[in-house]
Amino acid sequence: MSRHLPIVAVTPFPAAAAHELKDAQLRANLGRATRTIRDKRARVVAEVPDWEELRERAARTKDEVLDRLPELLARFERAAAAAGASVHHAADAAAANAIVAELVRAQGADRVVKIKSMATQEIGLNEALAEAGITAIETDLAELIVQLADDTPSHILVPAIHYNRSQIREIFAARMPGFSAESDEPAVLAGAAREYLRRTFLSAEVAVCGANFAVAETGSLVIVESEGNGRMCLTLPGTLIAVVGVEKLLPRMADLGDFLRLLPRSSTGERMNPYTSVFTGVTPDDGPRRLHIVLLDNGRTKTAQDPVGRAALRCIRCSACLNVCPVYERTGGHAYGSVYPGPIGAILSPQLTGQDAGANSSLPFASTLCGACYDVCPVKIDIPEILVHLRQTGPKPAAERAAMATLSWVMRDRRRWRGALRAARTGAVPLRALTRRRGGTLRRAPWPVSAWTAHRDAPLPPPESFRDWWRRTHAE
Amino acid sequence: MRIALLVTCLNEALFPRAGMAVVTVLERLGHTVAFPPEQTCCGQLHANTGYAAPARELERHTEAAFAGHDVIVTPSGSCAAHLRAHTELPVYELSELLVDVLGVTDVGARFPHRVTYHPTCHGLRMLRLGDRPQRLLRAVSGLELVDLPEPEQCCGFGGTFALKNPGVSGAMLADKCANAVSTGAEYLAAADNSCLAHIGGGLARRPGAPKPVHYAEILAGTGAAA
Ligand code: SF4
């Protein structure tokens, strides 16, 4: 059965955004939440004197990974296998889902506990497991909220950012077995979720996780989290399955330090995250007895071939770019039609899937190129540059292509250009008289200028051109 | 100093006063301004909308039009940023030329009004203009500079973004306008007439809102309102 991949937008961004913009509550929730995180981030980043050098070095490390990808993957696989892990390769989402379902079935389990992971969201693992008769239970608080609400995440790090706490209480009351609290105090809500999850952890036989980093040198996986649910998943169940995008590699264990400094400050605005788990293979009488690592490609190798676009694969999913993005702040994550929203989503989704997938070619246009994302990205991904690159390589409407070609032709010659300006000034003469009382701007206009005047007045060409003025005042 | 003016296609088509203001300021400071007549458009619009080939042709056209000029000034942060990234031309945004090259902050202007300044994205994050424009404005006699709340937030223009994503652009514009109105300023100044056309078009629909003005026009002023 074919499902829509969770990284393929069904609706073009402008239409999806228009829908989200109607929700005033959503915009208020988002505005408040993103402002809080971005102020926190700015404060703790300012404390690090060598922040720029850290970014530089991290970007270089990630570029080294992309340059040496096949070699480092082989190295990781050898080291992980030597430590007792089983390594699997998945070319695409379907392959990865099939491998995981088979591994769960082999344990005779019909339930898995999960740590929040973008890779498993990207492949739609929960839905695929459900089709195979396996229930996946999210154990991260925000993921749990979204899962109980039958919704999809709207932020990489804060999947339930679009809900406020009274909305969350309502979701719990309706969907969480045994929930009866009247209060929407964060502590009460978190306590209820903890009770519910603890029962689940203790009975789970299989856990599924992703990884923030995979160290090629040692075959280790690294998971960074805040709630301790990850620790539970990594240590209690007998079987652990990790789905890891191939770009998560780091060449050496010594590279990890830079990233552990960059990630928490960029993502949650904390100096350090509460839980960092580094684990290598299996250890007798400690933690899971079986560790399976599914290395996921799903468009990554192809993306790594693009000399400009490949920098998107440096991403460590910190979501700082979402929190500063003025477009994301207005629309929220759902408008991007992908588990990767915001600026990183606009460059990653179309590259992983190819721009011909669904409405993904509309995503690189979902930006004003304001550059706020590039400024905060801890691995220095020049997101505006990649957005422009994808606009240049992606499909465009025929009428626009023709108009742009004509405009460029007119502008490549001073006489044609002056002729066009003169025509515009002549056309504006009657309009100027009509709009004088309002200061000479146009409030309503026929298509295509109507797209402009829907939200703002349009300026009119001036009575005297710059060139005429120059000739009048500077003629020799 | 002999300085070549890149007026930009948008200013030529709609806002010639910004170009005239640059000429006025530089000549008042004793410099000679040249206007290379072959200039048209730097190619930024084409490049950012996804048309690399026509953009390159316009970049080459601009290089040829300005060949032989050692100092080029433009009253547009975004065009300066585009040309700096895609050509070898020695292009300066007006405040860079004045503060860094000519070493002036007081250009001898008078503008007795309350003004707020919106630092456009290209000026802020690509050119890193910092507070150069504000320093120039503070030195203007009679001018009271008031802070714009959330100044670094994009206004929502983004070239063809305003047309391709009208809803989001309008929502961003509404917030920028509300912040501008809250200052109680008479004028909202900026370094790019593209952003100003968009913000000004929104302000025109809000009673009592500041009027949009390119900061070069303030620097050119010697008394009366722009
Ligand atoms: S692109 Fe950069 S800022 Fe955005 S999520 Fe990835 S690492 Fe973070």
Side-chain angles (χ1 to χ4, degrees), chain B residues 80-168:
Chain B
H82 181 79
L83 286 172
R84 218 176 271 172
H86 294 94
T87 71
E88 299 289 313
L89 290 172
V91 185
Y92 299 89
E93 189 277 331
L94 178 64
S95 70
E96 297 176 307
L97 177 79
L98 291 170
V99 176
D100 301 347
V101 182
L102 304 177
V104 246
T105 45
D106 185 349
V107 298
R110 179 167 166 74
F111 194 79
H113 299 282
R114 263 170 89 86
V115 175
T116 191
Y117 182 80
H118 165 61
T120 57
C121 299
H122 284 82
L124 197 66
R125 285 178 279 261
M126 288 187 72
L127 296 178
R128 307 276 169 200
L129 292 183
D131 67 346
R132 287 178 187 80
Q134 289 95 322
R135 268 151 68 198
L136 290 161
L137 288 174
R138 269 193 210 99
V140 171
S141 137
L143 186 148
E144 185 196 348
L145 190 63
V146 290
D147 286 341
L148 180 70
E150 307 200 300
E152 74 295 335
Q153 279 267 326
C154 176
C155 68
F157 171 62
T160 42
F161 175 85
L163 303 176
K164 287 177 186 277
N165 282 285
V168 188

Side-chain angles (χ1 to χ4, degrees), chain A residues 5-11 13 16 333-340 349 360 363:
Chain A
L5 264 187
I7 50 173
V8 176
V10 180
T11 312
F13 184 83
H334 292 155
Y336 295 79
S338 164
V339 300
Y340 299 117
S349 310
N360 275 10
L363 295 174

Side-chain angles (χ1 to χ4, degrees), chain B residues 9-122:
Chain B
C9 63
L10 181 80
N11 284 329
E12 246 202 271
L14 295 169
F15 305 103
R17 283 198 310 217
M20 299 172 192
V22 175
V23 175
T24 306
V25 172
L26 293 177
E27 289 181 348
R28 193 167 66 213
L29 293 170
H31 302 284
T32 307
V33 180
F35 180 74
E38 298 300 329
Q39 64 177 284
T40 54
C41 168
C42 69
Q44 183 197 178
L45 173 79
H46 285 83
N48 288 351
T49 312
Y51 296 87
R56 252 189 308 276
E57 287 169 350
L58 289 167
E59 288 152 14
R60 296 297 87 85
H61 177 86
T62 305
E63 281 183 322
F66 283 86
H69 289 280
D70 303 326
V71 180
I72 303 166
V73 69
T74 182
S76 163
S78 58
C79 300
H82 181 79
L83 286 172
R84 218 176 271 172
H86 294 94
T87 71
E88 299 289 313
L89 290 172
V91 185
Y92 299 89
E93 189 277 331
L94 178 64
S95 70
E96 297 176 307
L97 177 79
L98 291 170
V99 176
D100 301 347
V101 182
L102 304 177
V104 246
T105 45
D106 185 349
V107 298
R110 179 167 166 74
F111 194 79
H113 299 282
R114 263 170 89 86
V115 175
T116 191
Y117 182 80
H118 165 61
T120 57
C121 299
H122 284 82

Side-chain angles (χ1 to χ4, degrees), chain A residues 156 315-322 344 373 376-379 381 383:
Chain A
I156 290 177
C315 174
I316 57 173
R317 313 279 189 264
C318 73
S319 69
C321 59
L322 276 60
I344 180 60
C373 48
V376 296
C377 177
V379 283
I381 303 173
I383 296 177

Side-chain angles (χ1 to χ4, degrees), chain A residues 252-267:
Chain A
R252 300 152 293 262
M253 190 57 95
D255 298 318
L256 185 58
D258 287 344
F259 291 89
L260 291 183
R261 293 180 69 199
L262 287 164
L263 182 54
R265 287 182 200 255
S266 299
S267 59

